[in-house]
Amino acid sequence: MLSNITRATLNSNRLASRAFISTWNTVPQGPPDAILGVTEAYKRDTSPDKMNLGVGAYRDDGGKPFVLSSVKKAEKVMMDNNLDKEYAGISGSPSFIKAAGALAYGDSSSVITENRLAIAQSISGTGALRIGGEFLNAWYPHAKNIIVPNPTWGNHIPIMKNSGLNLEKYTYFDKNTNGLNIDGMLEDLHKAPKNTVVLLHACAHNPTGVDPTVEQWDQISKVIKERGHFPFFDMAYQGFASGDCTRDAYALRKFVDEGHQVILAQSFAKNMGLYGERVGSFSVVCTDTEEKARVESQLKIIIRPMYSNPPIHGAHIVSTVLNTPELKEEWLSEVKLMADRIITMRHKLREHLENGFGSKKNWSHITNQIGMFCYSGMTPEQVNKIKSDWHVYLTQDGRISMAGISSANVKYLAQAIHNVTKD
């Protein structure tokens, strides 16, 4: 029998050598990443005036990547302490997750003081969202339905779908005002089946930059509670939005104070400039310490086969900054510095459009929106024109990364926007 198998294998090999067909012959070409495509087009452009407003990473006023002084000092402390490179536990660095939880929920939150926050370190916000999706799919006791704002960060959709959740969208952005459609949002929350998971951007909504007001958050919280929905917060910009970590955590903390049993995806990519370190956390508000222990045990079961345990360098940086009073104070001032620069660019862009170039359009949304991104209101046709005529690169939905604007190019950008939108 073995000889028959051998002969069959030899014959198969001879045929294969005559007409080799790859195992992956039927794999189709995937669609290009929208933001990566913007960057590649920008790199090919030889114009000295070109601008890349697609990538969501902070730049200083000279257009350069910004490594925070508090981060550099934390790394020096780490070097001086001769830290080892041993594995972290499945849940990550204990000092990191403790500090991260306190930053998000507040030191005096009952969730923290009563030790009922189940939390695990994650591979930045993306990893936190995936852990959350998997946890909901495994243990959420109701239908596995999640609704996300329209529009939302593009990665939310595949993360939740790949976690096995049924995804729909709720009304969020109003194209007529370039602001929040609060009536449409509340209506959709009312209409959603009871016990639906609702994904909420805690602050600095990506991609629109449109956040609910304090009063609107009150309305949202009320409807979610009435319908028995479950809030899933994504907080990627705490401190980076307004410059105030407490203010940016308002919605999350309000929901907790009002008795919502929230879950949270948290990232330190933007507010500490730790983009490549991939450091974040996923947390679950529990009713008591016993429930916390059970939830944490299941989080470990999800994480272990996914990536075993998280990287330690970024977590040590965050832990060192947040647990060293003078470094934390410096970091808070640097977060405000970054936020204030972006806010300043918003005001300058609007001022140039309205006063410098005399645009008759309403540009109030530029300063009303907040955070890294601005939904400009430009159409896809106008986006194509600003690329071809003015060498300004952004995504087709008209989203501008405010971090790509500087004192040196803000007037040029205003001129470009005015010229493609004035007709």
Side-chain angles (χ1 to χ4, degrees):
M1 183 176 179
L2 182 60
S3 59
N4 290 337
I5 294 174
T6 303
R7 281 195 295 272
T9 302
L10 288 172
N11 289 333
S12 175
N13 288 341
R14 290 192 190 102
L15 289 172
S17 65
R18 293 173 189 168
F20 174 75
I21 298 176
S22 171
T23 304
W24 316 119
N25 185 55
T26 59
V27 175
Q29 178 67 43
D33 182 89
I35 296 175
L36 182 60
V38 170
T39 300
E40 289 174 347
Y42 166 82
K43 288 179 178 178
R44 290 193 298 267
D45 194 323
T46 57
S47 170
D49 297 321
K50 66 180 182 178
M51 296 179 65
N52 185 0
L53 302 180
V55 179
Y58 181 80
R59 297 290 182 263
D60 64 19
D61 201 47
K64 303 296 183 184
F66 181 54
V67 180
L68 278 64
S69 171
S70 55
V71 167
K72 292 179 180 178
K73 290 176 181 177
E75 288 186 305
K76 185 178 186 306
V77 170
M78 290 157 55
M79 288 292 290
D80 291 344
N81 289 340
N82 196 28
L83 297 181
D84 59 44
K85 299 295 183 182
E86 292 294 303
Y87 289 123
I90 298 173
S91 297
S93 162
S95 62
F96 162 76
I97 56 178
K98 182 179 180 181
L103 180 70
Y105 295 90
D107 290 302
S108 60
S109 169
S110 61
V111 176
I112 301 299
T113 59
E114 295 170 9
N115 192 29
R116 52 189 179 88
L117 183 70
I119 182 168
Q121 185 182 331
S122 64
I123 302 178
S124 203
T126 303
L129 288 160
R130 185 56 186 262
I131 294 170
E134 298 285 349
F135 182 73
L136 289 170
N137 189 33
W139 297 109
Y140 189 57
H142 306 288
K144 317 298 185 183
N145 299 323
I146 186 168
I147 54 176
V148 302
N150 184 23
T152 193
W153 180 48
N155 224 7
H156 281 149
I157 295 169
I159 288 171
M160 295 306 155
K161 286 185 174 180
N162 290 347
S163 298
L165 304 181
N166 305 310
L167 183 142
E168 299 290 342
K169 297 178 181 179
Y170 60 84
T171 300
Y172 191 84
F173 186 68
D174 187 337
K175 291 183 178 179
N176 295 320
T177 65
N178 289 308
L180 178 66
N181 184 346
I182 184 62
D183 292 335
M185 179 179 180
L186 294 175
E187 182 181 353
D188 285 355
L189 292 177
H190 270 294
K191 288 180 178 178
K194 285 190 174 182
N195 306 122
T196 294
V197 178
V198 182
L199 184 72
L200 299 164
H201 297 232
C203 61
H205 181 274
N206 178 3
T208 69
V210 174
D211 283 356
T213 63
V214 168
E215 293 76 18
Q216 288 169 339
W217 275 122
D218 292 345
Q219 293 175 281
I220 294 165
S221 172
K222 182 180 178 182
V223 173
I224 288 178
K225 180 167 283 190
E226 286 174 353
R227 296 293 295 162
H229 295 331
F230 188 86
F232 185 169
F233 278 97
D234 182 3
M235 188 159 65
Y237 297 93
Q238 186 183 5
F240 195 93
S242 68
D244 184 331
C245 287
T246 299
R247 178 179 172 183
D248 291 348
Y250 170 81
L252 171 70
R253 296 178 185 181
K254 175 186 177 55
F255 273 57
V256 172
D257 288 344
E258 292 189 345
H260 293 277
Q261 218 174 346
V262 309
I263 57 177
L264 169 69
Q266 178 185 22
S267 169
F268 289 91
K270 305 297 192 300
N271 59 10
M272 281 200 188
L274 299 176
Y275 303 98
E277 299 293 352
R278 313 307 294 146
V279 56
S281 79
F282 173 72
S283 56
V284 181
V285 171
C286 301
T287 57
D288 53 39
T289 55
E290 188 273 334
E291 183 175 90
K292 170 195 170 184
R294 287 188 283 109
V295 169
E296 286 183 335
S297 73
Q298 293 299 332
L299 293 180
K300 291 177 182 178
I301 290 171
I302 290 170
I303 291 168
R304 178 62 171 157
M306 191 182 293
Y307 55 85
S308 196
N309 44 30
I312 60 173
H313 189 76
H316 285 328
I317 292 173
V318 175
S319 175
T320 303
V321 169
L322 295 183
N323 290 308
T324 308
E326 58 270 26
L327 290 183
K328 184 176 181 180
E329 184 178 352
E330 182 176 7
W331 170 65
L332 290 171
S333 68
E334 290 182 298
V335 171
K336 189 175 188 308
L337 174 73
M338 292 189 289
D340 285 350
R341 193 188 86 73
I342 287 180
I343 292 169
T344 299
M345 288 302 104
R346 288 183 179 276
H347 285 280
K348 285 188 175 182
L349 179 60
R350 180 182 176 184
E351 182 181 351
H352 282 306
L353 280 164
E354 295 177 346
N355 301 328
F357 296 104
S359 175
K360 302 304 180 185
K361 292 185 176 294
N362 181 2
W363 297 105
S364 61
H365 59 279
I366 293 176
T367 50
N368 289 339
Q369 295 171 11
I370 194 170
M372 179 80 79
F373 301 110
C374 170
Y375 238 38
S376 66
M378 284 190 284
T379 65
E381 293 75 22
Q382 291 166 342
V383 169
N384 288 334
K385 189 170 179 59
I386 205 171
K387 288 178 186 176
S388 61
D389 295 0
W390 294 87
H391 311 278
V392 175
Y393 293 86
L394 59 155
T395 51
Q396 286 297 112
D397 56 8
R399 187 198 78 168
I400 291 173
S401 175
M402 295 302 300
I405 306 175
S406 69
S407 299
N409 62 26
V410 63
K411 184 176 181 180
Y412 176 81
L413 175 61
Q415 184 181 11
I417 293 174
H418 173 58
N419 273 270
V420 301
T421 60
K422 65 183 179 181
D423 295 328

